[in-house]
Amino acid sequence: MSTIVKEKLTLLPDLPGVYLMKDKDGEIIYIGKAKNLKKRVKSYFQKNLDSAKLRIMVPQIINFEFIITDTEIEALILESHMIKKHKPKYNVLLKDDKRFPWFVVTDEDYPRILIVRKVEKKLIKGKYFGPYTNSRAMYSTLELIKKLFPLKQCKTPRFKDRPCIYYQMGKCLGVCQKLVTSEEYKQVARNVELFLSGKQSELVEQLQNHMNLAAERQEYEKAAKYRDSYLDVLKVVERQKVVSENTSLSQDIIAYEHDELRMSTVLLKVRDGRLIAKEDFEIPLEEIHSPKEGLVSFIQQYYQMVELYDIPKEILIQEELEEKDLLAEWLSLKKSSKVTITVPKADKKLELIEMALKNACSSLESLKLKSAVQLQNDWNEVGSYIQEKLMLTKFPHRIECFDISHIQGTNTVASMVVFINGKSVRSEYRRFKIRSLEEGKPDDFASMREVVSRRYTKLLKNDESLPDLIIIDGGKGQLSYAKEVLDELGLVDQPLISIAKRFEEIFLPDRSESVIIPLNSPALFLFQRIRDEAHRFAVSYHRRLRENQAIKSILDDIDSLGHERKKQLLAHFGDTKNVLSATESEMARVIGKATAKKVCKYIKDNKLSQK
């Protein structure tokens, strides 16, 4: 801790406000808010930091500033503005750059609809709609809008004497040749705004009214155009999922799922009681202290970006947040009408959260797949990084990883998975039943010692090639036992590491300090993927052993009862105790009279009846 920080900590007041953490270059690296500045800022400099983010960030803090506010809500508003202005590296940043495009309906005599990469109202005046995280869906929406509402597509007319080809295709109203009045054109532009705002029900009603009014005036050509638009919009509305009969319902549903590297957040938009959109956001876990902090930061950043019309009346979230009421108050002030944030417990709202959670899980799996593909493409670079970071003598072509699985020492097993050039090779996987332990007496260290010994004793005996790197799932204890075995086998130079899950630390033998690999590094993603695959393989083997053991029972001793009929009895009666309590006639309905008679005689002769 720097001298400046020590001195400033004594000056902190017991008041709400905003604090700005700075590094040695004076750059702001983190901005936060606090109900009590003294308690919050001092908490960063405690001895035991409980997240990888803080362990990396706090040593960089050489100075900090703070701004006192009158209330916590003022601190929240100030924090949001300052994060947007300074973009600190350790804050969650939902950048409104090319990843998040927007629609804009321009503010002109004859408006156009454009896609822009940034909200720049001084450069392009108009109404903005977004942000959109799915560019493909956005361009599909644009094509639909061009069909439904043919606004002009040229900034200036291309021809003086005739309309352009867009008019011939039905994608323009012929503004350049004055084939539409200014008022009619502006009405079409207003329809686009209603459509993008999610107010399709209101739009349908307006189109129907315009159609009927034109028909009453015997303007049949105009009425036909309104009819076509009305029917097209109606088709769009019918395809949208109805989530409530309340057609004035305006909701956003937010849920997330995460792994060790990233947090996938999904936002579902419900407008007029219909689900109209889904947006996906990825937040690297290196940017947050915890998933809850990520959710709070997401709500702040997202609703700081969107237009006021797109802040709903109600926001559903999956879990309670300490800042929930504060965020609701901030959004209510921003929108100038009441906004609630709710954690649903039952009924339809809980179903919506569950639907959002399913989408978040699916999105996370897509991100994992994308990372895995990218890892394959960049393997030479990733492997070279691992070799340099871990000081390996050879490039890590072949990696073997071990994990132990048991429940209170029963059915202890181990797994070994193999990755070659960053890709799993299942044909090389191995599993082991631990032989050296007494049942019910767990000892992960001894188990790891046994499995490593068995694996590499066999390789040496058969004169087979050793891996370029061995990974042990666990901390320093498991690592030291594995190292001891390798030394006894004469493999003193065998590259070996362990990975501890809490902070994703990499440990090397004979080295007290862990190796920290950045959380967004493809190398760490590979290690986690290998470790998780070893865990999955071990758990699946352990589960299978338990299931096989569960099937074994006293019924195995009855020679006249085959495996299939035993399974039928257990499936019908539930367990061995109920089978032994059953009458002969009850058994006969399941396995037949002859076999039931033999089974009941055996039970009687051996005095096994449970009655």
Side-chain angles (χ1 to χ4, degrees):
M1 188 190 307
S2 71
T3 306
I4 296 175
V5 169
K6 286 181 180 178
E7 291 176 354
K8 284 197 170 181
L9 286 175
T10 63
L11 303 176
L12 287 165
D14 293 305
L15 295 170
V18 172
Y19 53 92
L20 300 84
M21 303 298 196
K22 297 182 178 181
D23 64 10
K24 58 183 175 59
D25 299 319
E27 182 182 349
I28 298 172
I29 60 174
Y30 186 76
I31 296 173
K33 68 175 186 314
K35 188 175 184 179
N36 185 309
L37 282 167
K38 180 184 286 188
K39 289 183 180 178
R40 185 71 184 100
V41 176
K42 279 188 175 182
S43 70
Y44 284 94
F45 302 98
Q46 60 189 357
K47 287 184 178 180
N48 298 318
L49 299 173
D50 58 355
S51 81
K53 171 191 168 182
L54 293 183
R55 293 177 70 203
I56 296 170
M57 182 186 83
V58 172
Q60 300 179 47
I61 300 172
I62 303 300
N63 194 0
F64 69 86
E65 304 291 341
F66 59 89
I67 303 169
I68 299 170
T69 58
D70 289 333
T71 63
E72 192 179 0
I73 188 69
E74 287 181 7
L76 176 67
I77 295 169
L78 180 60
E79 179 199 31
S80 298
H81 284 297
M82 296 194 80
I83 289 174
K84 189 173 183 181
K85 178 182 177 181
H86 295 288
K87 296 180 170 58
K89 65 187 290 187
Y90 289 107
N91 282 95
V92 176
L93 298 176
L94 297 179
K95 305 175 184 69
D96 51 348
D97 56 12
K98 63 182 181 180
R99 286 179 58 207
F100 299 153
W102 299 67
F103 280 125
V104 56
V105 179
T106 59
D107 185 10
E108 303 175 81
D109 291 336
Y110 292 93
R112 292 172 295 148
I113 181 168
L114 307 174
I115 290 179
V116 296
R117 296 299 181 181
K118 289 186 178 181
V119 178
E120 297 179 303
K121 295 186 178 181
K122 291 182 180 179
L123 188 63
I124 302 177
K125 295 181 178 180
K127 289 188 177 180
Y128 285 77
F129 300 86
Y132 292 83
T133 56
N134 189 327
S135 295
R136 181 180 298 176
M138 186 179 195
Y139 280 101
S140 297
T141 302
L142 180 62
E143 287 304 309
L144 177 63
I145 289 172
K146 286 178 179 178
K147 176 187 175 184
L148 298 178
F149 314 107
L151 298 180
K152 72 171 187 175
Q153 301 190 41
C154 309
K155 188 173 183 179
T156 55
R158 298 187 180 184
F159 308 103
K160 293 183 179 180
D161 57 342
R162 60 186 175 86
C164 66
I165 192 171
Y166 288 118
Y167 176 80
Q168 304 298 333
M169 295 168 61
K171 292 185 176 182
C172 179
L173 294 171
V175 175
C176 58
Q177 300 302 313
K178 297 182 180 179
L179 300 177
V180 61
T181 66
S182 174
E183 186 53 42
E184 288 174 339
Y185 188 92
K186 287 180 179 177
Q187 181 57 52
V188 175
R190 284 194 288 271
N191 290 343
V192 172
E193 292 173 6
L194 285 173
F195 185 86
L196 291 174
S197 299
K199 298 178 180 178
Q200 282 93 334
S201 298
E202 185 178 337
L203 175 58
V204 167
E205 186 179 343
Q206 284 196 17
L207 289 172
Q208 189 174 29
N209 290 339
H210 288 308
M211 176 183 68
N212 294 336
L213 186 60
E216 288 174 8
R217 295 174 178 172
Q218 297 184 350
E219 297 172 342
Y220 298 118
E221 188 174 341
K222 186 183 292 186
K225 288 182 180 179
Y226 281 125
R227 178 203 61 204
D228 293 341
S229 295
Y230 165 77
L231 293 174
D232 286 337
V233 174
L234 202 59
K235 288 178 184 175
V236 173
V237 172
E238 287 172 349
R239 286 198 299 267
Q240 293 169 345
K241 178 180 174 66
V242 178
V243 300
S244 174
E245 296 302 320
N246 181 1
T247 56
S248 64
L249 184 65
S250 170
Q251 284 178 325
D252 280 353
I253 301 97
I254 302 173
Y256 70 84
E257 187 57 79
H258 70 92
D259 59 12
E260 293 85 357
L261 282 179
R262 62 188 69 79
M263 173 175 166
S264 175
T265 304
V266 165
L267 184 144
L268 303 178
K269 289 185 177 182
V270 174
R271 301 295 183 266
D272 296 338
R274 293 176 181 271
L275 179 61
I276 66 164
K278 175 179 82 76
E279 298 293 334
D280 301 288
F281 299 86
E282 178 188 2
I283 301 173
L285 286 191
E286 65 172 347
E287 295 183 359
I288 59 177
H289 176 63
S290 66
K292 279 193 174 185
E293 181 197 338
L295 182 57
V296 171
S297 296
F298 171 79
I299 293 171
Q300 277 184 260
Q301 300 255 339
Y302 181 79
Y303 293 107
Q304 181 77 4
M305 283 198 297
V306 302
E307 299 292 307
L308 295 181
Y309 76 86
D310 210 20
I311 299 176
K313 295 177 181 177
E314 182 179 40
I315 299 170
L316 305 182
I317 57 176
Q318 71 194 73
E319 60 186 339
E320 290 291 344
L321 297 174
E322 186 179 337
E323 300 90 341
K324 185 182 73 172
D325 294 339
L326 182 66
L327 290 168
E329 185 182 352
W330 167 61
L331 289 171
S332 299
L333 287 171
K334 186 176 173 70
K335 188 177 175 66
S336 299
S337 62
K338 187 173 179 58
V339 176
T340 59
I341 299 179
T342 307
V343 180
K345 303 298 182 185
D347 303 327
K348 194 70 177 178
K349 291 182 180 180
L350 183 59
E351 290 177 15
L352 290 174
I353 284 289
E354 289 170 350
M355 180 168 63
L357 275 170
K358 287 178 184 177
N359 280 277
C361 290
S362 175
S363 177
L364 183 63
E365 290 304 314
S366 297
L367 291 171
K368 286 182 179 179
L369 179 60
K370 183 179 177 182
S371 297
V373 171
Q374 188 64 40
L375 178 66
Q376 290 296 305
N377 295 337
D378 301 337
W379 171 244
N380 286 336
E381 183 180 338
V382 175
S384 297
Y385 175 84
I386 292 172
Q387 183 179 5
E388 180 183 350
K389 192 76 174 176
L390 302 181
M391 297 174 289
L392 305 178
T393 55
K394 294 193 299 181
F395 187 88
H397 290 291
R398 182 185 179 96
I399 299 174
E400 296 183 357
C401 179
F402 296 88
D403 185 32
I404 306 295
S405 179
H406 61 81
I407 293 180
Q408 295 181 343
T410 62
N411 294 320
T412 303
V413 299
S415 68
M416 185 199 78
V417 298
V418 178
F419 277 61
I420 297 178
N421 292 334
K423 185 177 181 180
S424 65
V425 183
R426 297 201 172 198
S427 61
E428 300 276 347
Y429 287 14
R430 297 291 182 269
R431 53 191 176 217
F432 307 83
K433 288 182 72 173
I434 300 302
R435 304 165 181 162
S436 59
L437 300 181
E438 289 185 39
E439 194 72 6
K441 293 185 177 180
D443 189 335
D444 286 356
F445 298 151
S447 299
M448 188 61 71
R449 178 184 175 84
E450 177 186 328
V451 71
V452 171
S453 177
R454 286 168 59 184
R455 168 64 178 169
Y456 297 110
T457 298
K458 183 177 180 180
L459 288 191
L460 290 172
K461 182 180 178 181
N462 297 334
D463 197 24
E464 296 181 47
S465 299
L466 294 164
D468 300 304
L469 178 64
I470 299 172
I471 298 177
I472 303 298
D473 182 11
K476 292 181 180 180
Q478 286 92 335
L479 179 67
S480 64
Y481 273 74
K483 174 62 176 170
E484 186 179 299
V485 172
L486 294 174
D487 288 348
E488 290 172 1
L489 294 174
L491 303 175
V492 292
D493 296 324
Q494 170 62 46
L496 171 72
I497 65 170
S498 70
I499 177 168
K501 190 163 187 176
R502 187 182 176 199
F503 293 125
E504 304 298 350
E505 295 172 292
I506 306 295
F507 292 104
L508 278 67
D510 306 320
R511 179 172 168 174
S512 58
E513 294 296 320
S514 62
V515 176
I516 301 294
I517 296 179
L519 286 176
N520 62 347
S521 166
L524 184 59
F525 169 73
L526 173 66
F527 287 147
Q528 290 169 328
R529 188 160 157 251
I530 294 172
R531 187 264 316 280
D532 291 347
E533 178 65 356
H535 182 69
R536 180 201 65 78
F537 193 51
V539 169
S540 64
Y541 182 40
H542 179 259
R543 186 179 296 121
R544 195 169 80 184
L545 287 181
R546 282 193 292 116
E547 288 172 352
N548 289 341
Q549 190 177 57
I551 290 176
K552 289 182 180 179
S553 69
I554 198 169
L555 301 179
D556 293 336
D557 298 329
I558 305 176
D559 294 333
S560 57
L561 188 62
H563 182 70
E564 285 302 315
R565 286 185 173 174
K566 184 184 72 173
K567 283 175 63 178
Q568 290 171 2
L569 284 174
L570 289 172
H572 182 80
F573 292 105
D575 58 27
T576 303
K577 182 179 178 180
N578 289 338
V579 173
L580 298 177
S581 302
T583 63
E584 184 177 329
S585 60
E586 289 172 337
M587 281 193 200
R589 297 190 195 104
V590 181
I591 57 176
K593 289 183 178 180
T595 305
K597 186 175 181 179
K598 292 178 182 178
V599 170
C600 286
K601 183 177 184 304
Y602 181 91
I603 292 172
K604 183 179 179 182
D605 291 345
N606 290 275
K607 301 179 180 180
L608 300 176
S609 176
Q610 298 294 303
K611 292 183 179 179

